[in-house]
Amino acid sequence: MCATCGCGVDEVRVDGETGEYLHVHEDGTVHAHGHEHEHGHSHDEPHTHTIDLETAVLAKNDELAAANRLWMAERGIAAVNLMSSPGAGKTSLLERTIKENGATRSISVVEGDQETHYDAERIRAAGARAVQINTGSGCHLDATMVRRGLDTLEPADGDLVVLENVGNLVCPALFDLGETKKVVIVSITEGDDKPLKYPHMFAAADLVVVNKTDLLPYVDFDVDKCEKDARSLNSRLEWLPMSVRTGEGLDGWYGWLGEL
Ligand code: MG
């Protein structure tokens, strides 16, 4: 279960009408309680159970991510954590990059999706090695999954490893995987309000790719506003408009990869 986001089998939902927290248990039973309740404690006592668990989960993940980072650094391997909403173009960007030899080094890919092997098959068809991680009810890759992926892929010294995260602008921002850089793709069909709605993701990014620019004539998307909002959260981020479909902006992407 993802303790941070509550996306596992012991699900947490918020009742839209009352604002009460609803716990959905594995057996399907649901009960409501205020936020200040912990099992085995008085309802009057404020609880820190959820926050403690979240801190512990993230601390453990950070430890494993540091081990991944060291393992890759010792081998001269660069890793990109590629994140976006579903359908923004993560896999399409990788397919084109692999086919055009856009990176100056060999690429292998850890694919994260809740279910199916579709994306790993696409990456292999494009000509690179890939391993698929299915996260089931989980909504992000974590450092343990990446460790498993690296053990399976066995990237050569100096390779580029791309960690294509589960399509989601929320939880992947919280989980360090040991990557060298974090890249966020926002596609113009999603709307230009994403940086302010999902600030953690944009605050954590090293590079924001704005994909599907070929559709700008047909969509109300203010690229300048989106960039201004993203930079208000993160002054160090790099910004790269692109169309994976037409190839516009890909030179900038290949140049960025070349400097990793
Ligand atoms: Mg994908």
Side-chain angles (χ1 to χ4, degrees), residues 10 23-31:
D10 199 10
H23 273 194
V24 185
H25 292 283
E26 285 184 70
D27 62 4
T29 57
V30 178
H31 75 250

Side-chain angles (χ1 to χ4, degrees), residues 44-63:
D44 298 330
E45 284 178 32
H47 81 80
T48 57
H49 172 81
T50 305
I51 291 168
D52 286 348
L53 186 55
E54 176 182 325
T55 305
V57 167
L58 288 175
K60 183 67 183 167
N61 183 76
D62 284 350
E63 200 178 296

Side-chain angles (χ1 to χ4, degrees), residues 213-224:
T213 52
D214 53 305
L215 298 178
L216 277 169
Y218 314 104
V219 180
D220 291 328
F221 185 102
D222 186 333
V223 178
D224 292 339

Side-chain angles (χ1 to χ4, degrees), residues 21 26 53 90 92 94 116 156 163 176 180 186 225 231 246:
Y21 282 71
E26 285 184 70
L53 186 55
K90 297 184 295 300
S92 301
L94 293 179
T116 80
L163 312 168
D176 184 8
T180 314
V186 56
K225 175 192 181 303
R231 290 194 187 283
T246 66

Side-chain angles (χ1 to χ4, degrees), residues 84-87 89-92 94 111-113 118-120 122-123 132 164-167:
S84 78
S85 305
K90 297 184 295 300
T91 315
S92 301
L94 293 179
E111 279 290 346
D113 281 298
Y118 293 165
D119 284 0
R122 286 172 61 185
I123 294 299
Q132 182 78 50
E164 184 184 329
N165 223 310
V166 180

